[in-house]
Amino acid sequence: MEIDPIITDVLEEVGSKVAMGLGGMLGCELDLPAPTTILVSKKEFFAQTRKKQVMVRMSVSGDHEGDVYVFCRLKDAVQLGGILIMLPQGELEERIKKETFGEEEGDSFGEIANIISGDLCAAFEELYPEKLHFRKADLEAIVPSKVKADAPEPFPPGLYLKAAYPVTLDGKALDELVMLFPAAMLGIAVPEAPDFEAQPREEASGAAAGRLVNSEEAAALLGELSPDSASAAGIAVETTSAAKPVQAGQSIPTGEEQNLEAAEPVILVVAIGGSHGQTISAMLNEHGYNATLVDRKENFKDLSRTLNGRVKGLVLAMDEIGDQSFSVAIKVRTAFGESVPLMAAGSQWTRSKVLQAVKYGGCDILLTPASAEEVLEKVAAHFKAVQSVAV
């Protein structure tokens, strides 16, 4: 199962910020290189360590709500907390040896957790297209061997993204600092009826190799443009009189509602501002495809359930190509899964935006305005599962 490269970028930035912020507060040289990422179940996670841990629960609000869990080996938590409150070296070593984690140690490590939550907030705000805010809720000492995989404590069963940071303190290696994110919170598709404890997951690749299959084609499409220049290439097309622009929050027109009820495969066209979405949808319907036009504010998870697997192609029609558009791309990809090809259509493409589009799951891009021939060529190349409905 692939991990979106933007997630790995954010997690790497989290490590850099924690190293700088926490290292400065402790007055030490702290290093947290890029983490390894892997999808794990609760059972798998606790099977990977037998050492006592301190678990911090981070409450998450914003576009998603839930909890994220941060783990630090108990001895390391005692050491970091002891440095923070400037314990004498002899007393600190004694507490580390005895794994003493009382009220004083809990309070001092809680301050460290506050720094981590602030760095999480900053990294996600800078790099992640959705709004997520992290706040330290509580912390507790955990003995992994005593945790029951099917119990709701200390966190419920499910699929999690584990980010494990190697840590060095003044050149000395500590145990890993681990963060557990619910997979669904980060837009990682979870099977409807998962058996999370059945078998281990493969380590997730930060490169998401399958995402860049059309990078060469996309670069060629931009011709000789410089990295910062924009293209408005394409052939203008007329909008049919029957097509009406979709306004924000507007319900799907009657003709499109009928398509939702159709049994044949569907191409879903998502309008993110402008009129390109309704133009592309009209073109596809005129040439025998079953295209449905929806607004960017649609509840895509509900729509996915309604269509029950019939969506075989996705087109994001963007007026402006930016963070808002890519945020919609994540929501669409989360709702319909990695197996449904997604094409991004827009007029103001640069090389950097093309690469960003494919990083977010786009299989190809379309320059708008575009001719019917251009639209149909792209659809025929990528939306194989809907070929049977074309005439």
Side-chain angles (χ1 to χ4, degrees):
M1 191 177 296
E2 295 178 350
I3 305 300
D4 195 316
I6 192 63
I7 296 174
T8 56
D9 290 346
V10 173
L11 294 177
E12 185 172 351
E13 182 65 15
V14 169
S16 297
K17 289 184 180 297
V18 170
M20 181 177 297
L22 185 55
M25 187 174 73
L26 297 176
C28 300
E29 184 178 344
L30 193 66
D31 188 28
L32 277 77
T36 58
T37 54
I38 187 172
L39 295 172
V40 297
S41 68
K42 178 182 178 181
K43 180 178 180 180
E44 291 165 349
F45 173 71
F46 283 110
Q48 292 169 2
T49 181
R50 294 299 177 193
K51 299 172 183 176
K52 294 179 182 178
Q53 303 283 319
V54 173
M55 185 193 83
V56 180
R57 182 171 65 88
M58 301 281 186
S59 178
V60 182
S61 58
D63 288 342
H64 299 279
E65 295 184 353
D67 294 312
V68 167
Y69 308 93
V70 180
F71 288 83
C72 179
R73 186 182 177 185
L74 191 144
K75 285 188 175 183
D76 294 341
V78 173
Q79 180 175 357
L80 294 172
I83 293 173
L84 178 63
I85 60 177
M86 294 183 289
L87 284 178
Q89 186 63 28
E91 183 177 353
L92 176 57
E93 291 176 357
E94 185 68 17
R95 292 191 186 190
I96 294 172
K97 182 179 179 180
K98 293 182 177 180
E99 296 187 332
T100 302
F101 196 78
E103 183 176 353
E104 185 177 28
E105 289 78 16
D107 289 343
S108 59
F109 192 74
E111 291 302 317
I112 290 172
N114 283 329
I115 295 295
I116 295 174
S117 67
D119 292 331
L120 276 165
C121 289
F124 273 81
E125 182 178 357
E126 290 174 11
L127 299 177
Y128 199 63
E130 295 187 302
K131 293 182 179 179
L132 296 179
H133 181 77
F134 303 83
R135 180 181 60 83
K136 188 205 78 176
D138 50 49
L139 58 84
E140 61 179 305
I142 299 290
V143 180
S145 61
K146 294 184 178 181
V147 173
K148 295 182 180 179
D150 57 352
E153 295 84 16
F155 58 84
L159 183 63
Y160 293 85
L161 175 64
K162 173 187 173 183
Y165 296 85
V167 180
T168 57
L169 179 67
D170 287 336
K172 180 182 177 182
L174 304 183
D175 268 32
E176 293 175 326
L177 180 72
V178 175
M179 299 182 186
L180 281 187
F181 298 82
M185 180 182 290
L186 298 180
I188 301 171
V190 180
E192 290 186 5
D195 181 4
F196 293 120
E197 315 306 331
Q199 57 186 1
R201 271 80 190 171
E202 295 180 358
E203 185 163 343
S205 167
R211 296 292 181 83
L212 299 177
V213 292
N214 286 299
S215 58
E216 292 182 2
E217 178 187 349
L221 195 59
L222 292 172
E224 298 302 321
L225 295 176
S226 65
D228 294 322
S229 63
S231 172
I235 302 175
V237 295
E238 294 183 0
T239 302
T240 62
S241 58
K244 298 180 180 180
V246 177
Q247 303 298 325
Q250 178 180 332
S251 60
I252 302 170
T254 302
E256 304 291 357
E257 287 176 345
Q258 293 174 353
N259 279 338
L260 288 178
E261 302 300 324
E264 65 264 32
V266 173
I267 296 176
L268 196 67
V269 181
V270 183
I272 310 177
S275 61
H276 295 308
Q278 50 105 37
T279 301
I280 293 171
S281 179
M283 284 179 179
L284 294 173
N285 283 316
E286 288 171 1
H287 288 82
Y289 290 95
N290 181 27
T292 294
L293 179 66
V294 296
D295 182 69
R296 66 180 178 83
K297 293 187 177 181
E298 184 73 34
N299 187 320
F300 295 108
K301 290 184 178 180
D302 287 349
L303 188 58
S304 177
R305 286 191 288 268
T306 299
L307 292 171
N308 194 27
R310 294 201 298 275
V311 174
K312 304 301 181 183
L314 297 160
V315 180
L316 261 61
M318 301 173 282
D319 185 36
E320 294 184 5
I321 304 168
D323 289 345
Q324 184 185 75
S325 299
F326 294 129
S327 176
V328 176
I330 288 178
K331 293 177 181 179
V332 170
R333 173 60 72 213
T334 300
F336 294 97
E338 300 287 340
S339 62
V340 181
L342 182 152
M343 182 168 63
S347 60
Q348 299 299 313
W349 289 106
T350 65
R351 292 186 187 277
S352 61
K353 288 180 179 179
V354 168
L355 295 176
Q356 196 172 6
V358 293
K359 280 178 66 177
Y360 278 97
C363 67
D364 204 348
I365 67 167
L366 176 69
L367 293 172
T368 56
S371 67
E373 288 76 15
E374 289 171 323
V375 172
L376 296 174
E377 180 182 359
K378 297 287 188 182
V379 169
H382 301 294
F383 298 171
K384 303 295 185 181
V386 296
Q387 296 304 304
S388 60
V389 302
V391 294

